[in-house]
């Protein structure tokens, strides 16, 4: 987080950006400020997953989803440590939410939003790319098919968001 770049050794850029931004705003690089975003990111993840639960099942599900998420050991530990998983979680959850909306409506804006959020998840942790695999596997179910045009838009939005990190990796010997 001391130097803003499009990538770092073995990590994509987002965790460094978050740590750098928070410590710059706080005027301190004390451990508290390095770790502070974790709780916020897990709180955001819980709210996004609750919105998805509400949309798919109902309001009561939203409450249970949020409560279940924030009590997971991963959320507790991730709220105390600076982790790529913590930074990835809300973006991956948002990608799932927008994909669900896309499967419902087939609107291009949801394809673009899902792809962009999956790209942001990738910028937090390379495992964010698994979202694309999930979309492809989900297409085996008729209810989750999004159409070729929307799939292309989703992948294009993902590629646009991750392109600076891919370029950085290529320029830095695939560090």
């Amino acid at each position: 987080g001391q130097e803003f770049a499009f990538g770092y050794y073995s990590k994509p850029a987002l965790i460094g950006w978050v740590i750098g931004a928070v410590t710059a705003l706080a005027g301190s690089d004390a451990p508290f400020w390095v770790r502070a975003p974790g709780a916020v990111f897990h709180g955001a993840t819980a709210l996004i997953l609750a919105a998805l639960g509400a949309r798919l099942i109902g309001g009561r599900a939203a409450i249970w989803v949020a409560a279940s998420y924030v009590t997971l050991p991963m959320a507790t530990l991730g709220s105390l440590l600076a982790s790529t998983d913590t930074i990835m979680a809300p973006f991956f959850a948002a990608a799932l939410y927008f994909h669900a909306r896309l499967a419902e409506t087939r609107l291009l804006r949801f394809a673009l939003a899902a792809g962009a959020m999956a790209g942001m998840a990738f910028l937090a942790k390379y495992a964010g790319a698994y979202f694309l695999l999930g979309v492809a596997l989900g297409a085996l179910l008729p209810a989750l098919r999004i159409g070729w045009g929307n799939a292309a838009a989703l992948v294009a939005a993902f590629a646009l968001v991750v392109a600076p990190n891919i370029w950085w990796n290529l320029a830095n010997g695939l560090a």
Side-chain angles (χ1 to χ4, degrees), residues 19-118:
I19 292 170
V22 170
T23 56
L25 286 171
S28 170
D29 63 355
F32 173 82
W33 294 110
V34 171
R35 296 178 181 144
V40 174
F41 275 72
H42 279 298
T45 304
L47 293 174
I48 295 164
L49 292 175
L52 179 60
R55 182 142 211 100
L56 296 176
I57 300 170
R60 292 189 75 193
I63 293 167
W64 281 106
V65 167
S68 297
Y69 181 84
V70 297
T71 58
L72 289 173
M74 173 195 83
T76 303
L77 186 60
S79 292
L80 299 173
L81 303 172
S83 162
T84 54
D85 294 299
T86 297
I87 306 301
M88 178 184 71
F91 296 107
F92 204 100
L96 289 171
Y97 176 83
F98 288 124
H99 182 267
R101 296 283 296 156
L102 175 60
E104 251 176 56
T105 66
R106 303 283 177 105
L107 293 174
L108 176 63
R109 69 177 183 245
F110 293 125
L112 296 172
M117 289 298 100

Side-chain angles (χ1 to χ4, degrees), residues 137-168:
L137 290 173
L140 296 173
L141 302 171
L144 294 179
R145 291 186 186 142
I146 59 174
W148 289 108
N150 281 327
L154 189 152
V155 170
F158 177 87
L160 184 65
V161 170
V162 305
N165 178 255
I166 300 301
W167 172 81
W168 183 92

